[in-house]
Amino acid sequence: MKVLTSALLLLGCLSLSAQEAWVSLSKVGGFSAWKGKVALFKVQEEVSQLPLEFRGPGANSFAVSNAVKEENGLLLLEIEFKPTTERGYFSAELVVGSGDGAQVVQLRGVATAALEGKNEPPLQELLDALGANLDAGGKDLSLDSKATKIGDSVKASQFEPVGDGAVRLTPLARYSPPGDAPFGLAIPNGKEFTLQAVGSLAATTSARPDAHQTLRPPLATGAPNVTVVDAPKRFGLFLEAHKYTSLTFPGKSVGAPIKHTARIYPVEKLGGKALQNAYIVGFEEASNGDYQDAVFLIEGVKAVK
C-alpha cells in the first residue's frame, strides 16, 4: 500500500466551475478568520468596474478582501468571513458581474464563540456549510449514538475500493481537543484489526491556534488530502483520538462508552461539485455523539457491511 499527499493546500474552497462556485469558512471567537479563495472564468469587466453584490440572510457577514484579474478573463477573489454575531451559521451568495455574464458564488460560514465543549457547532451545520445536502440525524450538538443509523447515514461499517483502487481521504472538519490525531485504514484480521495510519490531523501551532476547531483542518504534512494507492480489498477507517481509537465498526472500539463511534453518509454533492463513490465519515472521540471530532470525505469506494 502506498500513500500519496497532494502538494497544494487552500483554505476555504477554490472552485474553477462558474456553474456553482462555493466557499466554506469558519471562525472561532477571539481568533482571526481564515480567508477563502475562488476563481471564476470568462469575467469581462475589469476589477475597478466589476459589480459585486452580496445577497441572502448572511450577506453582511462576508466581504471581498482582494480581487485580481488575470489573462483570459480569469478572476481570482479572496473572501473574508466576518460574522455579525459570535455564534451561528451564515449563508449568502455573491453575485459577480451583471446581466447574462453574472456569476454566483455560494458563501457559507460557521462561527463559534470560543473553543471546544458546548461552543462547538453541530454536525448538521458543518454539512450545510460544506454543501453536502445531507441529514446528519438531527440539528443538536449531541446525536443518537445507539441507533443503527441516523439521518442519511448507512448501516455499512467498511469500504471496498472501486476503479483503479486509489482511495482519497480529505479532512473536512475537526472540532475536538487539540493535538495530533492519526487516522487511517482499519483492516479486519479475524476478530482483530490491523491499523495502518495514512495521515494525521495537525496539532495546534501559533500560526494555527484553531487547527482543532475548524472547517478543512490542516494535516500534519500541510497537504489537503492523502491518496492510498492499491488499497486493501476491504477496510474500515480509524481515528486515534484522545480517549480511545474510534472505528467505523460498531461496538469494536476498545474502551469506548458508546457503540457507534463513527457515522457514514453517502454524499453525491459537496461544495457545488458532483461526486461518485464518495462518503462522509464523522467520528466521535468521547461519548456525546456529536460525530464532528473529525469529519472526512472518502472517495473511490463503495460502502459495505
Side-chain angles (χ1 to χ4, degrees):
M1 184 183 73
K2 185 177 181 181
V3 179
L4 305 176
T5 58
S6 300
L8 180 64
L9 173 62
L10 292 169
L11 297 171
C13 177
L14 175 65
S15 174
L16 296 180
S17 168
Q19 296 179 346
E20 190 172 20
W22 196 286
V23 175
S24 305
L25 296 168
S26 59
K27 185 182 184 305
V28 178
F31 295 86
S32 298
W34 297 98
K35 298 177 181 180
K37 297 179 181 180
V38 65
L40 300 175
F41 289 117
K42 299 180 181 179
V43 176
Q44 301 301 320
E45 298 93 339
E46 294 302 318
V47 171
S48 60
Q49 300 175 335
L50 184 65
L52 298 172
E53 180 184 2
F54 290 93
R55 298 176 180 174
N60 293 332
S61 294
F62 298 91
V64 174
S65 56
N66 193 33
V68 177
K69 178 78 173 292
E70 297 192 347
E71 296 180 357
N72 302 319
L74 177 63
L75 178 69
L76 301 177
L77 295 177
E78 188 174 70
I79 309 295
E80 186 175 2
F81 178 40
K82 303 193 298 182
T84 52
T85 59
E86 65 177 9
R87 167 73 182 93
Y89 169 76
F90 301 82
S91 172
E93 61 182 25
L94 170 62
V95 181
V96 182
S98 59
D100 295 337
Q103 300 182 46
V104 178
V105 180
Q106 296 296 327
L107 305 174
R108 302 292 185 271
V110 176
T112 55
L115 295 170
E116 303 177 35
K118 293 184 178 180
N119 294 303
E120 295 178 354
L123 178 61
Q124 188 63 63
E125 285 188 3
L126 301 177
L127 294 177
D128 291 343
L130 292 163
N133 192 28
L134 291 171
D135 177 2
K139 296 182 178 180
D140 295 333
L141 178 60
S142 295
L143 301 175
D144 191 337
S145 61
K146 298 179 181 179
T148 303
K149 64 182 297 295
I150 58 174
D152 289 328
S153 70
V154 293
K155 296 180 180 180
S157 60
Q158 53 190 325
F159 304 95
E160 293 178 349
V162 298
D164 61 5
V167 175
R168 182 164 62 186
L169 283 162
T170 304
L172 297 178
R174 179 186 181 185
Y175 285 85
S176 70
D180 290 307
F183 63 90
L185 311 187
I187 305 168
N189 182 14
K191 295 183 178 181
E192 304 295 329
F193 298 95
T194 299
L195 304 183
Q196 294 187 353
V198 300
S200 181
L201 297 174
T204 57
T205 64
S206 58
R208 281 303 307 263
D210 64 340
H212 64 300
Q213 298 273 297
T214 183
L215 287 173
R216 304 188 182 277
L219 294 175
T221 60
N225 53 52
V226 296
T227 298
V228 180
V229 180
D230 298 327
K233 292 182 179 179
R234 183 168 286 195
F235 61 91
L237 297 180
F238 79 88
L239 173 73
E240 189 177 316
H242 292 73
K243 295 187 177 181
Y244 55 82
T245 297
S246 302
L247 297 167
T248 54
F249 298 91
K252 299 298 184 180
S253 294
V254 177
I258 59 175
K259 181 177 181 180
H260 294 273
T261 59
R263 296 292 185 182
I264 298 173
Y265 302 85
V267 60
E268 297 180 352
K269 194 173 185 180
L270 189 71
K273 178 183 178 182
L275 300 175
Q276 291 183 334
N277 302 316
Y279 299 82
I280 286 177
V281 180
F283 283 100
E284 169 57 40
E285 65 103 47
S287 60
N288 68 339
D290 54 29
Y291 298 110
Q292 38 75 306
D293 290 284
V295 182
F296 293 91
L297 171 68
I298 181 170
E299 299 175 88
V301 296
K302 67 176 181 179
V304 293
K305 293 183 179 180

